[in-house]
Amino acid sequence: QVQLVESGGGLVQPGGSLKLSCVASGFTGNYYTVAWFRQAPGKEREGIACIGFDDRNGNYRDSVKGRFDISVDKGKHTFYLEMNALKPEDTGLYYCAGVGRPFRQCALDADEYRYWGQGTQVTVSS
Protein backbone atom coordinates (compact mmCIF):
# COMPACT_ATOMS: atom_id res chain seq x y z
CA GLN A 1 0.00 0.00 0.00
CA VAL A 2 1.63 3.22 -1.18
CA GLN A 3 1.97 6.11 1.20
CA LEU A 4 3.67 9.48 0.83
CA VAL A 5 4.30 11.72 3.82
CA GLU A 6 5.61 15.27 3.44
CA SER A 7 7.13 17.49 6.08
CA GLY A 8 9.31 20.57 6.43
CA GLY A 9 7.02 23.43 5.50
CA GLY A 10 6.90 26.69 7.38
CA LEU A 11 7.11 30.46 7.28
CA VAL A 12 10.24 32.01 5.78
CA GLN A 13 11.26 35.48 4.66
CA PRO A 14 11.95 36.31 1.02
CA GLY A 15 15.44 35.15 0.10
CA GLY A 16 15.36 32.43 2.70
CA SER A 17 15.65 28.67 2.36
CA LEU A 18 13.59 25.66 3.29
CA LYS A 19 13.97 21.93 2.77
CA LEU A 20 10.99 19.63 2.37
CA SER A 21 11.03 15.88 2.71
CA CYS A 22 8.79 13.13 1.38
CA VAL A 23 8.96 9.60 2.73
CA ALA A 24 7.69 7.03 0.24
CA SER A 25 6.57 3.54 1.19
CA GLY A 26 4.68 0.69 -0.42
CA PHE A 27 6.06 0.90 -3.96
CA THR A 28 7.07 -2.38 -5.54
CA GLY A 29 10.71 -2.30 -6.53
CA ASN A 30 12.57 0.84 -7.49
CA TYR A 31 10.68 1.66 -10.67
CA TYR A 32 8.75 4.65 -9.44
CA THR A 33 8.78 8.41 -9.81
CA VAL A 34 8.15 11.20 -7.32
CA ALA A 35 7.31 14.82 -7.99
CA TRP A 36 6.66 17.97 -6.01
CA PHE A 37 3.64 20.13 -6.76
CA ARG A 38 2.34 23.32 -5.21
CA GLN A 39 -0.97 25.12 -5.17
CA ALA A 40 -1.77 28.64 -4.08
CA PRO A 41 -5.33 29.75 -3.21
CA GLY A 42 -7.28 30.50 -6.36
CA LYS A 43 -4.60 29.07 -8.64
CA GLU A 44 -4.09 25.77 -10.40
CA ARG A 45 -1.72 23.14 -9.10
CA GLU A 46 1.66 23.32 -10.77
CA GLY A 47 4.53 20.88 -10.99
CA ILE A 48 7.78 22.02 -9.41
CA ALA A 49 10.26 19.20 -9.80
CA CYS A 50 10.36 15.46 -10.34
CA ILE A 51 12.81 12.60 -10.23
CA GLY A 52 12.79 8.85 -10.69
CA PHE A 53 14.12 6.69 -7.89
CA ASP A 54 17.15 5.67 -9.95
CA ASP A 55 17.60 8.96 -11.79
CA ARG A 56 20.74 11.01 -11.31
CA ASN A 57 19.08 14.35 -11.96
CA GLY A 58 15.59 15.74 -11.75
CA ASN A 59 13.40 17.79 -14.03
CA TYR A 60 12.39 21.32 -12.97
CA ARG A 61 9.87 23.98 -13.71
CA ASP A 62 11.60 26.94 -15.35
CA SER A 63 10.70 29.36 -12.57
CA VAL A 64 12.62 27.35 -9.96
CA LYS A 65 15.66 26.25 -11.97
CA GLY A 66 18.83 27.23 -10.19
CA ARG A 67 16.96 27.81 -6.93
CA PHE A 68 15.37 24.45 -6.11
CA ASP A 69 16.99 21.03 -5.99
CA ILE A 70 15.29 17.64 -5.84
CA SER A 71 17.24 14.68 -4.50
CA VAL A 72 16.76 11.15 -3.22
CA ASP A 73 18.09 9.24 -0.27
CA LYS A 74 17.66 5.77 -1.73
CA GLY A 75 18.34 3.94 1.49
CA LYS A 76 15.51 5.78 3.23
CA HIS A 77 13.22 6.05 0.18
CA THR A 78 13.03 9.72 1.02
CA PHE A 79 12.80 12.54 -1.50
CA TYR A 80 13.85 16.08 -0.75
CA LEU A 81 13.10 19.47 -2.21
CA GLU A 82 15.68 22.06 -1.22
CA MET A 83 14.36 25.55 -1.85
CA ASN A 84 16.65 28.56 -1.92
CA ALA A 85 16.23 32.26 -2.70
CA LEU A 86 12.54 31.94 -1.94
CA LYS A 87 10.10 34.47 -3.32
CA PRO A 88 6.58 35.40 -2.19
CA GLU A 89 5.22 33.73 -5.33
CA ASP A 90 6.64 30.43 -4.07
CA THR A 91 3.98 30.46 -1.36
CA GLY A 92 1.57 27.55 -1.50
CA LEU A 93 0.60 24.14 -0.28
CA TYR A 94 3.31 21.74 -1.41
CA TYR A 95 2.44 18.16 -2.25
CA CYS A 96 4.54 15.11 -2.81
CA ALA A 97 3.16 12.83 -5.53
CA GLY A 98 4.18 9.44 -6.82
CA VAL A 99 3.49 6.93 -9.56
CA GLY A 100 4.74 3.37 -9.88
CA ARG A 101 6.53 3.69 -13.19
CA PRO A 102 9.67 5.28 -14.58
CA PHE A 103 9.82 7.97 -17.24
CA ARG A 104 12.47 8.69 -19.83
CA GLN A 105 12.02 12.26 -18.64
CA CYS A 106 9.80 12.55 -15.57
CA ALA A 107 6.54 14.44 -15.86
CA LEU A 108 5.40 17.63 -14.18
CA ASP A 109 1.75 16.97 -15.00
CA ALA A 110 -0.50 16.24 -12.03
CA ASP A 111 -2.60 13.72 -13.94
CA GLU A 112 0.45 11.46 -14.34
CA TYR A 113 0.59 10.76 -10.61
CA ARG A 114 -1.61 8.33 -8.76
CA TYR A 115 -0.55 8.79 -5.15
CA TRP A 116 -0.46 12.01 -3.15
CA GLY A 117 0.69 13.16 0.24
CA GLN A 118 -1.29 15.36 2.58
CA GLY A 119 0.56 18.56 1.74
CA THR A 120 2.78 20.90 3.72
CA GLN A 121 2.34 24.67 3.77
CA VAL A 122 5.13 26.97 2.62
CA THR A 123 4.65 30.68 3.21
CA VAL A 124 7.19 33.23 2.01
CA SER A 125 6.51 36.61 3.53
CA SER A 126 8.22 39.46 5.32
mmCIF file of all heavy atoms in Angstrom, residues 73-108:
data_model
loop_
_atom_site.group_PDB
_atom_site.id
_atom_site.type_symbol
_atom_site.label_atom_id
_atom_site.label_comp_id
_atom_site.label_asym_id
_atom_site.label_seq_id
_atom_site.Cartn_x
_atom_site.Cartn_y
_atom_site.Cartn_z
ATOM 1 N N ASP A 73 17.318 10.110 -1.128
ATOM 2 C CA ASP A 73 18.086 9.240 -0.267
ATOM 3 C C ASP A 73 17.516 7.841 -0.501
ATOM 4 O O ASP A 73 16.467 7.493 0.038
ATOM 5 C CB ASP A 73 17.952 9.653 1.196
ATOM 6 C CG ASP A 73 18.819 8.824 2.131
ATOM 7 O OD1 ASP A 73 19.082 7.641 1.823
ATOM 8 O OD2 ASP A 73 19.242 9.356 3.177
ATOM 9 N N LYS A 74 18.204 7.060 -1.319
ATOM 10 C CA LYS A 74 17.663 5.770 -1.728
ATOM 11 C C LYS A 74 17.501 4.800 -0.564
ATOM 12 O O LYS A 74 16.549 4.021 -0.534
ATOM 13 C CB LYS A 74 18.550 5.150 -2.808
ATOM 14 C CG LYS A 74 18.560 5.927 -4.118
ATOM 15 C CD LYS A 74 19.418 5.231 -5.156
ATOM 16 C CE LYS A 74 19.392 5.976 -6.472
ATOM 17 N NZ LYS A 74 20.216 5.302 -7.504
ATOM 18 N N GLY A 75 18.423 4.844 0.361
ATOM 19 C CA GLY A 75 18.345 3.936 1.493
ATOM 20 C C GLY A 75 17.114 4.170 2.354
ATOM 21 O O GLY A 75 16.570 3.230 2.934
ATOM 22 N N LYS A 76 16.673 5.416 2.419
ATOM 23 C CA LYS A 76 15.514 5.775 3.228
ATOM 24 C C LYS A 76 14.241 5.933 2.406
ATOM 25 O O LYS A 76 13.179 6.190 2.977
ATOM 26 C CB LYS A 76 15.782 7.079 3.979
ATOM 27 C CG LYS A 76 16.914 7.006 4.984
ATOM 28 C CD LYS A 76 17.098 8.339 5.676
ATOM 29 C CE LYS A 76 18.206 8.277 6.707
ATOM 30 N NZ LYS A 76 18.397 9.585 7.387
ATOM 31 N N HIS A 77 14.344 5.783 1.089
ATOM 32 C CA HIS A 77 13.220 6.045 0.184
ATOM 33 C C HIS A 77 12.599 7.402 0.503
ATOM 34 O O HIS A 77 11.377 7.551 0.571
ATOM 35 C CB HIS A 77 12.184 4.924 0.266
ATOM 36 C CG HIS A 77 12.589 3.691 -0.489
ATOM 37 N ND1 HIS A 77 11.991 3.315 -1.675
ATOM 38 C CD2 HIS A 77 13.534 2.764 -0.229
ATOM 39 C CE1 HIS A 77 12.566 2.194 -2.104
ATOM 40 N NE2 HIS A 77 13.498 1.848 -1.253
ATOM 41 N N THR A 78 13.465 8.383 0.677
ATOM 42 C CA THR A 78 13.033 9.721 1.021
ATOM 43 C C THR A 78 13.481 10.709 -0.051
ATOM 44 O O THR A 78 14.644 10.705 -0.460
ATOM 45 C CB THR A 78 13.583 10.151 2.379
ATOM 46 O OG1 THR A 78 13.095 9.257 3.388
ATOM 47 C CG2 THR A 78 13.149 11.563 2.728
ATOM 48 N N PHE A 79 12.552 11.545 -0.479
ATOM 49 C CA PHE A 79 12.799 12.537 -1.504
ATOM 50 C C PHE A 79 12.793 13.919 -0.875
ATOM 51 O O PHE A 79 11.958 14.226 -0.022
ATOM 52 C CB PHE A 79 11.726 12.453 -2.590
ATOM 53 C CG PHE A 79 11.744 11.156 -3.349
ATOM 54 C CD1 PHE A 79 11.262 9.989 -2.768
ATOM 55 C CD2 PHE A 79 12.249 11.092 -4.630
ATOM 56 C CE1 PHE A 79 11.291 8.785 -3.456
ATOM 57 C CE2 PHE A 79 12.273 9.896 -5.337
ATOM 58 C CZ PHE A 79 11.800 8.744 -4.742
ATOM 59 N N TYR A 80 13.712 14.757 -1.314
ATOM 60 C CA TYR A 80 13.852 16.084 -0.745
ATOM 61 C C TYR A 80 13.666 17.159 -1.803
ATOM 62 O O TYR A 80 13.979 16.964 -2.977
ATOM 63 C CB TYR A 80 15.236 16.260 -0.111
ATOM 64 C CG TYR A 80 15.531 15.266 0.976
ATOM 65 C CD1 TYR A 80 16.256 14.107 0.705
ATOM 66 C CD2 TYR A 80 15.092 15.475 2.278
ATOM 67 C CE1 TYR A 80 16.534 13.189 1.697
ATOM 68 C CE2 TYR A 80 15.364 14.559 3.275
ATOM 69 C CZ TYR A 80 16.086 13.416 2.983
ATOM 70 O OH TYR A 80 16.356 12.509 3.977
ATOM 71 N N LEU A 81 13.154 18.287 -1.364
ATOM 72 C CA LEU A 81 13.104 19.469 -2.205
ATOM 73 C C LEU A 81 13.764 20.595 -1.422
ATOM 74 O O LEU A 81 13.194 21.104 -0.457
ATOM 75 C CB LEU A 81 11.667 19.844 -2.568
ATOM 76 C CG LEU A 81 11.528 21.043 -3.506
ATOM 77 C CD1 LEU A 81 12.071 20.694 -4.893
ATOM 78 C CD2 LEU A 81 10.079 21.502 -3.605
ATOM 79 N N GLU A 82 14.971 20.952 -1.838
ATOM 80 C CA GLU A 82 15.681 22.062 -1.219
ATOM 81 C C GLU A 82 15.330 23.335 -1.973
ATOM 82 O O GLU A 82 15.530 23.413 -3.181
ATOM 83 C CB GLU A 82 17.185 21.822 -1.241
ATOM 84 C CG GLU A 82 17.980 22.915 -0.559
ATOM 85 C CD GLU A 82 19.469 22.677 -0.602
ATOM 86 O OE1 GLU A 82 19.903 21.604 -1.057
ATOM 87 O OE2 GLU A 82 20.220 23.572 -0.171
ATOM 88 N N MET A 83 14.816 24.311 -1.254
ATOM 89 C CA MET A 83 14.362 25.547 -1.854
ATOM 90 C C MET A 83 15.212 26.693 -1.336
ATOM 91 O O MET A 83 15.323 26.893 -0.127
ATOM 92 C CB MET A 83 12.885 25.788 -1.533
ATOM 93 C CG MET A 83 11.980 24.641 -1.964
ATOM 94 S SD MET A 83 10.233 24.958 -1.609
ATOM 95 C CE MET A 83 10.258 24.899 0.190
ATOM 96 N N ASN A 84 15.797 27.433 -2.254
ATOM 97 C CA ASN A 84 16.649 28.564 -1.921
ATOM 98 C C ASN A 84 16.150 29.824 -2.614
ATOM 99 O O ASN A 84 15.408 29.761 -3.582
ATOM 100 C CB ASN A 84 18.090 28.285 -2.334
ATOM 101 C CG ASN A 84 18.662 27.047 -1.690
ATOM 102 O OD1 ASN A 84 18.760 26.966 -0.463
ATOM 103 N ND2 ASN A 84 19.042 26.073 -2.509
ATOM 104 N N ALA A 85 16.606 30.967 -2.122
ATOM 105 C CA ALA A 85 16.228 32.257 -2.701
ATOM 106 C C ALA A 85 14.718 32.347 -2.889
ATOM 107 O O ALA A 85 14.222 32.721 -3.951
ATOM 108 C CB ALA A 85 16.960 32.486 -4.019
ATOM 109 N N LEU A 86 13.997 32.007 -1.848
ATOM 110 C CA LEU A 86 12.540 31.943 -1.936
ATOM 111 C C LEU A 86 11.913 33.307 -2.185
ATOM 112 O O LEU A 86 12.386 34.329 -1.682
ATOM 113 C CB LEU A 86 11.974 31.324 -0.664
ATOM 114 C CG LEU A 86 12.147 29.803 -0.580
ATOM 115 C CD1 LEU A 86 11.972 29.324 0.855
ATOM 116 C CD2 LEU A 86 11.139 29.110 -1.501
ATOM 117 N N LYS A 87 10.845 33.279 -2.953
ATOM 118 C CA LYS A 87 10.100 34.470 -3.322
ATOM 119 C C LYS A 87 8.665 34.351 -2.817
ATOM 120 O O LYS A 87 8.167 33.245 -2.619
ATOM 121 C CB LYS A 87 10.089 34.634 -4.843
ATOM 122 C CG LYS A 87 11.459 34.635 -5.485
ATOM 123 C CD LYS A 87 11.346 34.638 -7.004
ATOM 124 C CE LYS A 87 12.710 34.600 -7.657
ATOM 125 N NZ LYS A 87 12.598 34.580 -9.138
ATOM 126 N N PRO A 88 7.976 35.479 -2.623
ATOM 127 C CA PRO A 88 6.580 35.403 -2.189
ATOM 128 C C PRO A 88 5.718 34.536 -3.109
ATOM 129 O O PRO A 88 4.808 33.854 -2.622
ATOM 130 C CB PRO A 88 6.126 36.861 -2.214
ATOM 131 C CG PRO A 88 7.372 37.627 -1.921
ATOM 132 C CD PRO A 88 8.456 36.875 -2.635
ATOM 133 N N GLU A 89 6.001 34.530 -4.391
ATOM 134 C CA GLU A 89 5.223 33.732 -5.327
ATOM 135 C C GLU A 89 5.467 32.235 -5.190
ATOM 136 O O GLU A 89 4.787 31.431 -5.831
ATOM 137 C CB GLU A 89 5.467 34.171 -6.780
ATOM 138 C CG GLU A 89 6.930 34.249 -7.164
ATOM 139 C CD GLU A 89 7.491 35.655 -7.066
ATOM 140 O OE1 GLU A 89 7.194 36.345 -6.069
ATOM 141 O OE2 GLU A 89 8.218 36.071 -7.990
ATOM 142 N N ASP A 90 6.435 31.839 -4.372
ATOM 143 C CA ASP A 90 6.641 30.430 -4.067
ATOM 144 C C ASP A 90 5.678 29.932 -3.001
ATOM 145 O O ASP A 90 5.635 28.727 -2.722
ATOM 146 C CB ASP A 90 8.076 30.179 -3.594
ATOM 147 C CG ASP A 90 9.106 30.412 -4.684
ATOM 148 O OD1 ASP A 90 8.867 30.000 -5.836
ATOM 149 O OD2 ASP A 90 10.167 30.992 -4.375
ATOM 150 N N THR A 91 4.931 30.820 -2.401
ATOM 151 C CA THR A 91 3.978 30.455 -1.358
ATOM 152 C C THR A 91 2.921 29.502 -1.886
ATOM 153 O O THR A 91 2.389 29.685 -2.984
ATOM 154 C CB THR A 91 3.308 31.710 -0.784
ATOM 155 O OG1 THR A 91 4.281 32.502 -0.103
ATOM 156 C CG2 THR A 91 2.200 31.348 0.205
ATOM 157 N N GLY A 92 2.610 28.482 -1.114
ATOM 158 C CA GLY A 92 1.574 27.551 -1.503
ATOM 159 C C GLY A 92 1.595 26.304 -0.654
ATOM 160 O O GLY A 92 2.457 26.127 0.207
ATOM 161 N N LEU A 93 0.639 25.443 -0.916
ATOM 162 C CA LEU A 93 0.598 24.139 -0.281
ATOM 163 C C LEU A 93 1.371 23.174 -1.176
ATOM 164 O O LEU A 93 1.013 22.980 -2.333
ATOM 165 C CB LEU A 93 -0.846 23.672 -0.108
ATOM 166 C CG LEU A 93 -1.077 22.400 0.710
ATOM 167 C CD1 LEU A 93 -0.603 22.599 2.143
ATOM 168 C CD2 LEU A 93 -2.555 22.023 0.681
ATOM 169 N N TYR A 94 2.433 22.612 -0.643
ATOM 170 C CA TYR A 94 3.313 21.743 -1.413
ATOM 171 C C TYR A 94 2.961 20.283 -1.185
ATOM 172 O O TYR A 94 2.847 19.821 -0.049
ATOM 173 C CB TYR A 94 4.771 21.991 -1.026
ATOM 174 C CG TYR A 94 5.347 23.231 -1.657
ATOM 175 C CD1 TYR A 94 4.878 24.498 -1.318
ATOM 176 C CD2 TYR A 94 6.365 23.144 -2.607
ATOM 177 C CE1 TYR A 94 5.393 25.638 -1.906
ATOM 178 C CE2 TYR A 94 6.894 24.280 -3.201
ATOM 179 C CZ TYR A 94 6.403 25.517 -2.849
ATOM 180 O OH TYR A 94 6.928 26.646 -3.434
ATOM 181 N N TYR A 95 2.800 19.565 -2.288
ATOM 182 C CA TYR A 95 2.436 18.158 -2.251
ATOM 183 C C TYR A 95 3.539 17.298 -2.839
ATOM 184 O O TYR A 95 4.178 17.667 -3.822
ATOM 185 C CB TYR A 95 1.170 17.891 -3.073
ATOM 186 C CG TYR A 95 -0.086 18.549 -2.568
ATOM 187 C CD1 TYR A 95 -0.481 19.792 -3.044
ATOM 188 C CD2 TYR A 95 -0.897 17.908 -1.637
ATOM 189 C CE1 TYR A 95 -1.644 20.385 -2.600
ATOM 190 C CE2 TYR A 95 -2.056 18.495 -1.188
ATOM 191 C CZ TYR A 95 -2.430 19.738 -1.677
ATOM 192 O OH TYR A 95 -3.595 20.323 -1.233
ATOM 193 N N CYS A 96 3.710 16.148 -2.257
ATOM 194 C CA CYS A 96 4.539 15.109 -2.812
ATOM 195 C C CYS A 96 3.621 14.124 -3.526
ATOM 196 O O CYS A 96 2.589 13.739 -2.979
ATOM 197 C CB CYS A 96 5.312 14.416 -1.688
ATOM 198 S SG CYS A 96 6.347 13.041 -2.200
ATOM 199 N N ALA A 97 3.970 13.753 -4.746
ATOM 200 C CA ALA A 97 3.157 12.834 -5.525
ATOM 201 C C ALA A 97 4.024 11.725 -6.110
ATOM 202 O O ALA A 97 5.201 11.939 -6.398
ATOM 203 C CB ALA A 97 2.440 13.585 -6.651
ATOM 204 N N GLY A 98 3.424 10.560 -6.298
ATOM 205 C CA GLY A 98 4.181 9.441 -6.825
ATOM 206 C C GLY A 98 3.381 8.601 -7.795
ATOM 207 O O GLY A 98 2.150 8.620 -7.799
ATOM 208 N N VAL A 99 4.096 7.872 -8.632
ATOM 209 C CA VAL A 99 3.493 6.929 -9.557
ATOM 210 C C VAL A 99 4.461 5.764 -9.732
ATOM 211 O O VAL A 99 5.679 5.960 -9.758
ATOM 212 C CB VAL A 99 3.161 7.592 -10.906
ATOM 213 C CG1 VAL A 99 4.410 8.075 -11.624
ATOM 214 C CG2 VAL A 99 2.358 6.651 -11.787
ATOM 215 N N GLY A 100 3.912 4.553 -9.834
ATOM 216 C CA GLY A 100 4.742 3.366 -9.880
ATOM 217 C C GLY A 100 5.262 3.000 -11.249
ATOM 218 O O GLY A 100 5.073 1.862 -11.701
ATOM 219 N N ARG A 101 5.929 3.917 -11.891
ATOM 220 C CA ARG A 101 6.534 3.694 -13.190
ATOM 221 C C ARG A 101 7.662 4.678 -13.407
ATOM 222 O O ARG A 101 7.662 5.770 -12.837
ATOM 223 C CB ARG A 101 5.513 3.829 -14.317
ATOM 224 C CG ARG A 101 4.818 5.190 -14.378
ATOM 225 C CD ARG A 101 4.277 5.494 -15.751
ATOM 226 N NE ARG A 101 5.344 5.795 -16.687
ATOM 227 C CZ ARG A 101 5.166 6.213 -17.933
ATOM 228 N NH1 ARG A 101 3.935 6.359 -18.404
ATOM 229 N NH2 ARG A 101 6.190 6.472 -18.711
ATOM 230 N N PRO A 102 8.626 4.322 -14.231
ATOM 231 C CA PRO A 102 9.668 5.278 -14.579
ATOM 232 C C PRO A 102 9.280 6.071 -15.816
ATOM 233 O O PRO A 102 8.368 5.703 -16.550
ATOM 234 C CB PRO A 102 10.873 4.382 -14.866
ATOM 235 C CG PRO A 102 10.253 3.150 -15.461
ATOM 236 C CD PRO A 102 8.935 2.974 -14.736
ATOM 237 N N PHE A 103 9.974 7.173 -16.042
ATOM 238 C CA PHE A 103 9.825 7.974 -17.240
ATOM 239 C C PHE A 103 11.191 8.154 -17.878
ATOM 240 O O PHE A 103 12.211 8.151 -17.178
ATOM 241 C CB PHE A 103 9.259 9.360 -16.932
ATOM 242 C CG PHE A 103 7.860 9.377 -16.400
ATOM 243 C CD1 PHE A 103 7.607 9.217 -15.048
ATOM 244 C CD2 PHE A 103 6.789 9.589 -17.249
ATOM 245 C CE1 PHE A 103 6.320 9.258 -14.549
ATOM 246 C CE2 PHE A 103 5.495 9.631 -16.772
ATOM 247 C CZ PHE A 103 5.259 9.462 -15.421
ATOM 248 N N ARG A 104 11.217 8.318 -19.183
ATOM 249 C CA ARG A 104 12.469 8.686 -19.828
ATOM 250 C C ARG A 104 12.866 10.081 -19.343
ATOM 251 O O ARG A 104 14.036 10.350 -19.038
ATOM 252 C CB ARG A 104 12.340 8.661 -21.346
ATOM 253 C CG ARG A 104 13.638 8.970 -22.070
ATOM 254 C CD ARG A 104 13.524 8.665 -23.552
ATOM 255 N NE ARG A 104 13.343 7.240 -23.789
ATOM 256 C CZ ARG A 104 14.327 6.358 -23.844
ATOM 257 N NH1 ARG A 104 15.589 6.755 -23.670
ATOM 258 N NH2 ARG A 104 14.070 5.079 -24.068
ATOM 259 N N GLN A 105 11.882 10.962 -19.285
ATOM 260 C CA GLN A 105 12.021 12.257 -18.641
ATOM 261 C C GLN A 105 10.783 12.428 -17.768
ATOM 262 O O GLN A 105 9.668 12.422 -18.286
ATOM 263 C CB GLN A 105 12.118 13.382 -19.659
ATOM 264 C CG GLN A 105 12.224 14.770 -19.036
ATOM 265 C CD GLN A 105 12.396 15.854 -20.070
ATOM 266 O OE1 GLN A 105 13.434 15.932 -20.733
ATOM 267 N NE2 GLN A 105 11.377 16.691 -20.229
ATOM 268 N N CYS A 106 10.945 12.556 -16.466
ATOM 269 C CA CYS A 106 9.803 12.554 -15.573
ATOM 270 C C CYS A 106 8.875 13.726 -15.844
ATOM 271 O O CYS A 106 9.287 14.791 -16.305
ATOM 272 C CB CYS A 106 10.235 12.518 -14.109
ATOM 273 S SG CYS A 106 11.174 13.940 -13.540
ATOM 274 N N ALA A 107 7.597 13.504 -15.516
ATOM 275 C CA ALA A 107 6.540 14.437 -15.864
ATOM 276 C C ALA A 107 6.244 15.408 -14.736
ATOM 277 O O ALA A 107 6.340 15.069 -13.552
ATOM 278 C CB ALA A 107 5.269 13.675 -16.229
ATOM 279 N N LEU A 108 5.846 16.618 -15.120
ATOM 280 C CA LEU A 108 5.399 17.635 -14.180
ATOM 281 C C LEU A 108 3.900 17.889 -14.323
ATOM 282 O O LEU A 108 3.410 18.959 -13.958
ATOM 283 C CB LEU A 108 6.178 18.929 -14.379
ATOM 284 C CG LEU A 108 7.676 18.857 -14.040
ATOM 285 C CD1 LEU A 108 8.364 20.160 -14.401
ATOM 286 C CD2 LEU A 108 7.871 18.544 -12.565
#
